[in-house]
Amino acid sequence: MGKCYNSTVINAPIEKVWDTVNNFHDLPWGTAVVTSTEKVGDKQSNEVGARRILNDAFHETLLSIDNDEFTFTYRIDDGPGPVAKDCVQNYFGAVKLSPITDSGETFIEWSSSFDSDNSSDVSEFCNPIYAGLLASLKAYLA
């Protein structure tokens, strides 16, 4: 099983960060990485089963969202290169926020796990995307 992991600290309270990232269909904070977001189907952005297409390439489905624990999980159903459905299976991503109580900041983790014959290719492809998304979020909330 392959894995990706990225994290950062954002100088904003957890509620503000969560309000920014928990909309599965709208990523205005991710413009450094996300050039387009298309809603697919009738599910709302905070409803399990919501689907989206990012950058006309990444087909994703929201699997869980927990407003009390500040976390959501999703699946990549298909995508470009090493995350294409013929190259990777069981690709599950997770975003988790935790408060840093002594400073009022937020610790955010973006991780994933997947099955692939080329796990290093998937990690090398996805880790920079997640790092870019976190950097973009940090800049957006600065």
Side-chain angles (χ1 to χ4, degrees), residues 57-116:
F58 293 88
H59 298 252
E60 300 178 340
T61 302
L62 183 65
L63 299 176
S64 70
I65 186 164
D66 187 328
N67 292 310
D68 295 325
E69 295 296 320
F70 304 102
T71 187
F72 68 86
T73 61
Y74 65 96
R75 175 182 69 226
I76 294 182
D77 302 312
D78 198 5
V83 294
K85 63 183 173 184
D86 296 336
C87 299
V88 69
Q89 296 78 42
N90 304 314
Y91 192 103
F92 300 107
V95 175
K96 180 178 182 351
L97 283 63
S98 300
I100 301 175
T101 58
D102 71 344
S103 66
E105 296 172 304
T106 301
F107 179 68
I108 182 169
E109 301 171 274
W110 202 311
S111 61
S112 63
S113 63
F114 50 86
D115 297 317
S116 175

Side-chain angles (χ1 to χ4, degrees), residues 8-141:
T8 194
V9 173
I10 297 179
N11 186 20
I14 193 168
E15 294 82 6
K16 182 175 182 179
V17 179
W18 182 246
D19 285 344
T20 304
V21 300
N22 73 358
N23 185 330
F24 197 67
H25 292 139
D26 192 19
L27 286 85
W29 54 269
T31 56
V33 177
V34 177
T35 58
S36 67
T37 306
E38 177 186 341
K39 176 184 174 185
V40 177
D42 296 334
K43 302 273 186 183
Q44 297 301 310
S45 65
N46 61 352
E47 189 176 354
V48 170
R51 294 182 298 140
R52 68 184 179 194
I53 302 172
L54 301 177
N55 296 351
D56 299 318
F58 293 88
H59 298 252
E60 300 178 340
T61 302
L62 183 65
L63 299 176
S64 70
I65 186 164
D66 187 328
N67 292 310
D68 295 325
E69 295 296 320
F70 304 102
T71 187
F72 68 86
T73 61
Y74 65 96
R75 175 182 69 226
I76 294 182
D77 302 312
D78 198 5
V83 294
K85 63 183 173 184
D86 296 336
C87 299
V88 69
Q89 296 78 42
N90 304 314
Y91 192 103
F92 300 107
V95 175
K96 180 178 182 351
L97 283 63
S98 300
I100 301 175
T101 58
D102 71 344
S103 66
E105 296 172 304
T106 301
F107 179 68
I108 182 169
E109 301 171 274
W110 202 311
S111 61
S112 63
S113 63
F114 50 86
D115 297 317
S116 175
D117 291 337
N118 298 304
S119 292
S120 62
D121 289 349
V122 177
S123 295
E124 289 172 15
F125 182 76
C126 292
N127 272 318
I129 292 171
Y130 297 141
L133 284 166
L134 290 174
S136 186
L137 176 63
K138 194 174 197 172
Y140 184 83
L141 290 172

